[in-house]
Amino acid sequence: MAVVMSGSGDDGVHFNTTSVRGDDAVEGLADLLMGPGGAQGAVVMHPGLIGVVVKKGIDVMWMARPPIHVEKGDGQWQISIEGAEEGEVHAFSAADVEQLLAQLKQEYT
């Protein structure tokens, strides 16, 4: 599953969860970006994008209230994930998302 985090303009953060497919976090993010409904990245490519967290499996509690903390420090967004186990959860910054999207578009469009 993926959690898209975006800024609301007043230092608030909005979370949007969705199901994605893939064998690892990068494939899950690629599915979000290029899969049906992804509109080749338009779903997450906007000025307020903070990042995307991809978690293995579907977790109803995560979908309802992801244990993700986002705060702004030194002009950068810091993403931390409560209780994350190694290899289970991966956080992608907005720059990471943009870079993967550019690679996918170059390869597949």
Side-chain angles (χ1 to χ4, degrees), residues 1-3 17-20 54-67 81-85 88-89:
M1 61 178 277
V3 180
T17 60
T18 189
S19 298
V20 293
V54 177
K55 180 185 184 308
K56 274 185 154 182
I58 301 296
D59 185 327
V60 176
M61 294 306 292
W62 260 69
M63 291 185 97
R65 188 177 181 130
I81 305 152
E82 187 178 312
E85 293 186 29
E88 181 181 280
V89 180

Side-chain angles (χ1 to χ4, degrees), residues 33 45 93-105:
L33 295 172
M45 298 313 302
S93 69
D96 296 335
V97 173
E98 291 171 9
Q99 181 180 16
L100 180 59
L101 179 60
Q103 290 173 343
L104 290 168
K105 283 184 172 182

Side-chain angles (χ1 to χ4, degrees), residues 17-93:
T17 60
T18 189
S19 298
V20 293
R21 298 168 292 172
D23 290 334
D24 59 31
V26 174
E27 285 185 12
L29 179 58
D31 184 59
L32 175 71
L33 295 172
M34 301 295 284
Q40 295 187 14
V43 73
V44 296
M45 298 313 302
H46 52 80
L49 178 68
I50 294 169
V52 177
V53 171
V54 177
K55 180 185 184 308
K56 274 185 154 182
I58 301 296
D59 185 327
V60 176
M61 294 306 292
W62 260 69
M63 291 185 97
R65 188 177 181 130
I68 300 169
H69 304 282
V70 181
E71 57 186 271
K72 202 168 200 175
D74 296 331
Q76 301 259 349
W77 288 100
Q78 304 298 319
I79 302 168
S80 61
I81 305 152
E82 187 178 312
E85 293 186 29
E86 186 74 28
E88 181 181 280
V89 180
H90 189 88
F92 296 93
S93 69

